[in-house]
Amino acid sequence: MSSADDFNKPDYLGLEGMVRSMTWFGDFRSEVREKARVSDLVLISSVPILLSLIFLLPESIQNALILDYGDYSIFNLWSSAFVHRGFDHFSNNLAAYCVLIGPIYLLFVLANERKLFRYTFLSLLFILPFVIALINIAVLGSGTGAGFSGIGSAFFGLLPVSLFLFINNKVSEKIEPTHGVVLFLIAAGIIALTYSGVTAAAGILLIAVLLTIYDIYQIGLDEAKNAAVELTSMEGYFELVMITSLLFLISPVLLFPQDIAQGDGAVNILSHYLGLVFGFFGPTTYLVYRRRRQ
């Protein structure tokens, strides 16, 4: 039999902590179920369906969708982002999208920014392909372009936007989406290490450190500490934030290989740069504009 003293014994098995953890995850799951919409999932699923259907088209039709920088149509400026050269090219881009879109969507809807997610999502699919294609034509001049990696890179850039938007809306209003620039600079430093060497990388990372110090000063040390404590206590939400941060910080390794020669072709790192920059700074600029209007 149990005595009354048993209830006062230390929780050596961590059962109390497990119960609290399950409660937090229960809250997280409940909010996800409440805020997720079938229409959003259909919208998200349209990309892998479209990429797969195009990949299954006859080769002659796929070739007609590829962008020739010297002889192109308006349709090719868009269609080239959704056609791929071979299974590896297709599967890598499809896998990247499927991994990224989940955390991005969850953070947006948990931050009560469903409309912004939809507008951003559609902009990346229907406007950004034209921008990337035209800049490639202007810079490269000749050759051909195909693949979803430029748009996929934009989803990588969207990761810190969704992350800091969630923190701003749910944890601390003083931590703004523009503070995600620090994460972007860290990624830029890793890219610089790959292509420009230690000196350039160290310079960019130093700027990131100084900007972090300035951001903490601007936010307030106590506010930053309180936000960190609150976020770490939000089990389920905190793990989502950590996964999103990790995905973004490994993006330079995935998008910018040291050897850009791949088989018979080369990785179009220009499209990757453009996607990463527009994916981050496009929505961030809009959020700054929206905040100033309020």
Side-chain angles (χ1 to χ4, degrees):
M1 293 180 63
S2 298
S3 66
D5 291 339
D6 290 339
F7 293 98
N8 298 321
K9 291 180 180 179
D11 185 21
Y12 292 114
L13 296 179
L15 296 178
E16 184 181 349
M18 289 174 63
V19 171
R20 286 198 302 268
S21 176
M22 290 174 65
T23 301
W24 272 112
F25 276 102
D27 291 344
F28 174 75
R29 292 196 302 270
S30 296
E31 187 172 6
V32 169
R33 285 195 297 267
E34 177 187 345
K35 293 188 174 179
R37 296 287 184 272
V38 173
S39 58
D40 294 334
L41 301 181
V42 171
L43 186 66
I44 289 169
S45 300
S46 66
V47 171
I49 291 172
L50 178 61
L51 294 180
S52 299
L53 289 176
I54 292 177
F55 181 73
L56 295 174
L57 290 173
E59 185 176 355
S60 59
I61 298 179
Q62 291 190 51
N63 289 337
L65 301 177
I66 293 174
L67 176 65
D68 185 333
Y69 297 153
D71 182 17
Y72 58 88
S73 66
I74 293 177
F75 180 69
N76 287 140
L77 294 175
W78 179 80
S79 66
S80 59
F82 300 91
V83 64
H84 293 89
R85 295 185 173 104
F87 179 75
D88 288 344
H89 192 204
F90 160 74
S91 60
N92 289 340
N93 285 331
L94 180 61
Y97 170 82
C98 291
V99 169
L100 297 175
I101 196 62
I104 291 171
Y105 173 69
L106 288 177
L107 287 170
F108 267 94
V109 296
L110 292 173
N112 299 315
E113 295 283 1
R114 180 188 318 280
K115 183 180 292 186
L116 178 60
F117 169 79
R118 290 178 174 177
Y119 285 145
T120 304
F121 182 87
L122 293 173
S123 296
L124 295 184
L125 293 184
F126 291 101
I127 297 176
L128 189 57
F130 291 99
V131 176
I132 291 177
L134 289 171
I135 294 177
N136 270 281
I137 290 170
V139 174
L140 301 179
S142 62
T144 59
F148 194 72
S149 59
I151 311 304
S153 300
F155 282 106
F156 271 109
L158 195 57
L159 286 169
V161 178
S162 61
L163 170 63
F164 280 89
L165 185 62
F166 169 80
I167 293 173
N168 177 253
N169 288 8
K170 300 286 281 189
V171 181
S172 172
E173 291 184 354
K174 291 187 177 181
I175 301 177
E176 301 178 4
T178 52
H179 293 138
V181 171
V182 169
L183 274 183
F184 188 89
L185 287 174
I186 293 173
I190 299 172
I191 297 169
L193 182 63
T194 301
Y195 297 124
S196 303
V198 175
T199 302
I204 294 174
L205 293 176
L206 176 60
I207 295 173
V209 171
L210 294 175
L211 186 57
T212 301
I213 295 172
Y214 173 77
D215 286 344
I216 293 174
Y217 171 78
Q218 186 182 46
I219 295 167
L221 184 59
D222 289 340
E223 178 68 19
K225 287 181 178 178
N226 292 337
V229 170
E230 182 176 351
L231 184 59
T232 54
S233 71
M234 298 169 64
E235 296 191 17
Y237 301 89
F238 175 69
E239 284 76 9
L240 178 61
V241 166
M242 290 296 100
I243 289 171
T244 303
S245 302
L246 179 61
L247 284 173
F248 181 71
L249 291 176
I250 65 172
S251 64
V253 178
L254 301 176
L255 297 176
F256 303 96
Q258 189 166 15
D259 184 6
I260 64 172
Q262 301 286 328
D264 297 331
V267 176
N268 187 345
I269 60 172
L270 174 60
S271 291
H272 293 183
Y273 276 123
L274 294 171
L276 197 64
V277 168
F278 282 111
F280 176 76
F281 285 104
T284 300
T285 302
Y286 168 75
L287 288 168
V288 171
Y289 168 74
R290 187 179 75 174
R291 185 177 183 84
R292 290 182 177 178
R293 286 190 59 189
Q294 292 176 345

